[in-house]
Amino acid sequence: DAMVIQNPRYQVTQFGKPVTLSCSQTLNHNVMYWYQQKSSQAPKLLFHYYDKDFNNEADTPDNFQSRRPNTSFCFLDIRSPGLGDAAMYLCATSRDPGAVEQYFGPGTRLTVT
Amino acid sequence: SQKIEQNSEALNIQEGKTATLTCNYTNYSPAYLQWYRQDPGRGPVFLLLIRENEKEKRKERLKVTFDTTLKQSLFHITASQPADSATYLCAPTDAGNMLTFGGGTRLMVKP
């Protein structure tokens, strides 16, 4: 009965090689979020979709993009990963926008070599 | 700028005792505050939400208080168990704004 699914759980990519992380949800929630979490730090919001409306955080680098082809799926694209992009990437959903209760996936651990 | 402070040092307690974690915030007035639990290598899991007009909220062994004058929330786990060992994140949030987490406090409950 998984609700927010992230694939893969572990991803290794090379410096500068584009990589895509995926997230799917079975909750039929309107909002999907992407967070970056580095070791021993708080999750940091990168962007979110409210239905098809994309909302980027002001300090999210242009290197990070996202796509939401339908309600269930959302993708995080890193165009040219740098060593500093190695982190856990968390996908989350909520019924409504804003900061009400969010449901997180297990995360994808990205390693950049 | 807005700031959220949680004790970055791990809290070590003995099984059966009450664990108390602190979340302090400055430079904003959150409409509500959430607490999440995060296990190593996993995503955060929602535990409790308390609104600005609520002083206290309980859920099973968990209790959260919210003092808007002190700009502080306390998170209590009574009769703690080793399975409660995790990192606990607070997220005080303005109405309509996105979730912003504190750095979390790691709790270790020893048998």
Side-chain angles (χ1 to χ4, degrees), chain A:
Chain A
D1 57 345
M3 295 186 290
V4 183
I5 303 159
Q6 290 189 245
N7 285 307
R9 294 294 315 279
Y10 302 90
Q11 176 74 56
V12 180
T13 190
Q14 292 177 336
F15 182 94
K17 185 174 181 181
V19 66
T20 295
L21 309 181
S22 73
C23 176
S24 63
Q25 54 131 342
T26 59
L27 297 163
N28 204 33
H29 280 171
N30 294 317
V31 192
M32 295 186 78
Y33 309 81
W34 280 103
Y35 291 83
Q36 179 193 64
Q37 186 176 27
K38 296 188 176 179
S39 182
S40 301
Q41 295 184 20
K44 180 180 179 297
L45 182 65
L46 296 173
F47 27 58
H48 76 277
Y49 271 95
Y50 176 30
D51 289 335
K52 295 183 180 180
D53 184 24
F54 177 71
N55 298 272
N56 201 27
E57 293 299 298
D59 56 355
T60 298
D62 292 340
N63 198 27
F64 292 86
Q65 303 287 322
S66 186
R67 296 169 284 135
R68 189 179 185 187
N70 54 52
T71 300
S72 301
F73 285 86
C74 195
F75 300 97
L76 169 63
D77 301 308
I78 309 177
R79 294 192 296 189
S80 181
L83 298 178
D85 296 328
M88 175 76 89
Y89 289 89
L90 297 164
C91 173
T93 73
S94 67
R95 184 175 294 109
D96 302 306
V100 297
E101 179 183 348
Q102 294 186 13
Y103 296 80
F104 284 81
T108 294
R109 171 74 64 189
L110 178 68
T111 300
V112 182
T113 60

Side-chain angles (χ1 to χ4, degrees), chain B residues 17-35:
Chain B
K17 300 292 186 184
T18 296
T20 298
L21 286 69
T22 304
C23 175
N24 294 298
Y25 57 89
T26 54
N27 296 328
Y28 63 127
S29 299
Y32 43 86
L33 190 147
Q34 301 185 48
W35 283 90

Side-chain angles (χ1 to χ4, degrees), chain B residues 16 48 69 100:
Chain B
L48 280 170
T69 301
T100 303

Side-chain angles (χ1 to χ4, degrees), chain B:
Chain B
S1 62
Q2 296 177 344
K3 194 174 179 183
I4 304 166
E5 291 182 343
Q6 292 186 257
N7 194 341
S8 59
E9 291 183 12
L11 177 64
N12 294 290
I13 65 167
Q14 203 67 35
E15 181 176 10
K17 300 292 186 184
T18 296
T20 298
L21 286 69
T22 304
C23 175
N24 294 298
Y25 57 89
T26 54
N27 296 328
Y28 63 127
S29 299
Y32 43 86
L33 190 147
Q34 301 185 48
W35 283 90
Y36 285 74
R37 167 184 173 143
Q38 187 172 25
D39 290 283
R42 310 293 297 183
V45 175
F46 172 80
L47 295 175
L48 280 170
L49 180 151
I50 186 167
R51 301 185 186 279
E52 61 179 336
N53 60 348
E54 298 175 314
K55 296 293 185 187
E56 181 180 297
K57 201 143 190 190
R58 292 175 185 261
K59 180 182 177 183
E60 298 171 353
R61 293 185 295 112
L62 308 180
K63 184 178 87 170
V64 172
T65 62
F66 191 11
D67 189 324
T68 56
T69 301
L70 290 178
K71 296 186 181 297
Q72 180 183 80
S73 175
L74 298 179
F75 177 82
H76 306 273
I77 306 175
T78 58
S80 59
Q81 304 166 0
D84 295 326
S85 298
T87 295
Y88 292 85
L89 304 164
C90 76
T93 310
D94 294 334
N97 285 337
M98 291 295 108
L99 209 62
T100 303
F101 289 98
T105 297
R106 192 160 64 98
L107 173 67
M108 301 284 290
V109 181
K110 300 186 176 180

